[in-house]
Amino acid sequence: MLNSVDDLRVMLEDTVQNPALMGHIMKTHEASVHAIYETAQPTKRKRKRTTVADPDTEVPEVTALRLKHDAIQLKCWPLTMHAASFIRPPRQSDRNTLIHVKVAGSGPTSEAGAREMLVSVTVYNRLSWGPKHLSRASQHVLLASQCIGDLFEAIPCTSNELPEEVRDNSGAVTGYKFRRSEDDMVVDQPTGAVVCIEGVLYGDGQSEDDYSERLLAIVESSPEDQSRAFTKGPSMYDAKFSSLAVKMHEPYWMLHAGNCEHIFTISAMRLRHPSDPQSGYPLTTQITPPMCDFCRVCTKVPASYSIVGDVRLGESPFLMCGPCWRWMGEPKDGADRDGLRR
């Protein structure tokens, strides 16, 4: 019999760390979900059925766990047919590439006290196949004494990994130069960024004419956007979360690297607990694995090549998988190239 929360925690940890017990729980759950789907949502499509081991072949510890679960008298414990409306298969955004929490900074700051507030932020990206749909990209935890710029630098984005084009005197691309290469001692040029929170635009402050100034000029020159009231705020590196008036779960907007957009929400705010990490803020707790674009020839497998300047393909860059590129063959210099290199 469980006498305390610690007893429950020890029992759960022992079950999770035992492969036989955890395997039995997972197979039993999958079999229950399969039975609910077959009854509540009948379809001609055959689903893979999960088989549960025969009780006669169970090891004693699995039998003891099964009997303990069968003896639970709570009516809400087993899944019923009503659970079909709340069950869905796992999505890409449910996965996490991180095994441990990623440390992105050195917080807390010197201003952080014992009653420092923690701010949880969820970042979303637009889906390429449906711009009106959003998918969760990452989750972060910051201190209220940290600024918007700390959040911006903590967000993982593929736009930050794009190489810089190297052009010749005629303007043709002759190669690519990766940022922060070992032989490059020059600091990367900022690509610009702006964050919009409750109608206030926070630029990166890297220049007098930053993204916030440009966005205000576009809004003022657009007749259909006159109803939107935007004001320029301080630099995102000077605006602390503790000084902002934000709404929970309200979508806010971020733009950087030309046309790369992110939507983020404040998902939770609470006081820091002694069991929370004492340093390393902002923390990244979840990163969704990126989904690769499919080959534009066969449209069946993820693309592994980005072909630039091949006139046979009709557009540049053109995404292709390895087999389709080998089937196309290498381009003939002067005939199939348009002055660009792959």
Side-chain angles (χ1 to χ4, degrees):
M1 183 176 179
L2 301 177
N3 297 321
S4 64
V5 177
D6 290 335
D7 294 339
L8 178 61
R9 178 180 58 81
V10 172
M11 185 188 70
L12 291 176
E13 291 178 350
D14 293 341
T15 303
V16 172
Q17 295 174 2
N18 190 319
L21 299 181
M22 193 61 190
H24 168 74
I25 292 177
M26 293 181 63
K27 288 186 176 181
T28 303
H29 174 74
E30 291 175 359
S32 300
V33 172
H34 182 274
I36 291 175
Y37 271 135
E38 290 294 324
T39 305
Q41 300 178 0
T43 178
K44 295 181 180 180
R45 180 182 177 183
K46 294 183 178 180
R47 296 185 176 94
K48 184 178 179 181
R49 182 181 298 275
T50 302
T51 58
V52 182
D54 189 356
D56 296 335
T57 62
E58 291 178 346
V59 296
E61 53 185 355
V62 173
T63 303
L65 179 63
R66 178 174 57 82
L67 295 177
K68 185 180 297 184
H69 287 174
D70 294 341
I72 296 177
Q73 299 181 359
L74 289 175
K75 295 182 179 180
C76 61
W77 175 259
L79 295 176
T80 63
M81 293 301 139
H82 299 288
S85 301
F86 305 93
I87 299 177
R88 63 168 176 81
R91 298 173 181 170
Q92 185 75 4
S93 59
D94 297 326
R95 310 183 189 279
N96 191 358
T97 59
L98 299 178
I99 301 177
H100 305 288
V101 174
K102 181 180 179 181
V103 176
S106 59
T109 62
S110 58
E111 300 179 7
R115 300 182 62 83
E116 176 74 4
M117 181 75 71
L118 293 183
V119 181
S120 299
V121 180
T122 303
V123 182
Y124 301 88
N125 291 339
R126 300 185 187 275
L127 297 176
S128 58
W129 51 265
K132 294 184 179 180
H133 295 82
L134 301 177
S135 177
R136 187 178 66 197
S138 60
Q139 291 179 303
H140 310 271
V141 180
L142 299 94
L143 299 171
S145 58
Q146 292 182 309
C147 59
I148 303 175
D150 294 325
L151 171 64
F152 169 71
E153 295 181 353
I155 295 177
C157 181
T158 54
S159 297
N160 298 330
E161 308 300 330
L162 295 177
E164 181 181 357
E165 294 181 345
V166 178
R167 299 178 180 269
D168 56 15
N169 296 332
S170 63
V173 178
T174 59
Y176 296 93
K177 180 181 179 182
F178 288 93
R179 298 177 181 273
R180 299 180 176 89
S181 58
E182 296 181 357
D183 57 346
D184 185 9
M185 300 300 294
V186 181
V187 179
D188 292 340
Q189 294 295 327
T191 57
V194 62
V195 176
C196 181
I197 299 178
E198 297 296 332
V200 181
L201 301 177
Y202 302 91
D204 56 5
Q206 300 297 326
S207 62
E208 295 182 359
D209 186 21
D210 60 5
Y211 271 33
S212 61
E213 289 285 354
R214 299 178 186 179
L215 185 59
L216 282 175
I218 294 175
V219 173
E220 292 175 356
S221 62
S222 179
E224 59 270 13
D225 290 337
Q226 293 297 326
S227 59
R228 302 180 183 180
F230 292 100
T231 58
K232 181 180 179 181
S235 168
M236 64 172 66
Y237 296 98
D238 297 330
K240 298 181 179 180
F241 281 94
S242 58
S243 64
L244 303 179
V246 298
K247 299 177 182 178
M248 297 291 295
H249 307 290
E250 179 77 10
Y252 298 121
W253 182 68
M254 179 183 298
L255 175 70
H256 73 109
N259 61 347
C260 185
E261 294 180 285
H262 302 284
I263 307 298
F264 66 95
T265 62
I266 308 297
S267 54
M269 289 189 292
R270 63 175 178 86
L271 292 176
R272 190 174 62 176
H273 192 269
S275 61
D276 292 323
Q278 298 301 311
S279 61
Y281 296 91
L283 305 176
T284 301
T285 58
Q286 189 265 343
I287 297 178
T288 301
M291 298 182 65
C292 299
D293 290 335
F294 281 94
C295 173
R296 296 183 183 176
V297 177
C298 64
T299 66
K300 293 182 178 180
V301 297
S304 55
Y305 291 97
S306 177
I307 313 301
V308 179
D310 195 330
V311 297
R312 300 174 300 171
L313 303 177
E315 62 179 274
S316 178
F318 193 89
L319 303 179
M320 295 181 66
C321 63
C324 290
W325 174 244
R326 290 192 294 270
W327 175 78
M328 287 283 297
E330 289 286 343
K332 298 179 180 179
D333 291 337
D336 298 331
R337 291 185 182 273
D338 189 23
L340 304 180
R341 296 181 180 179
R342 177 168 63 91

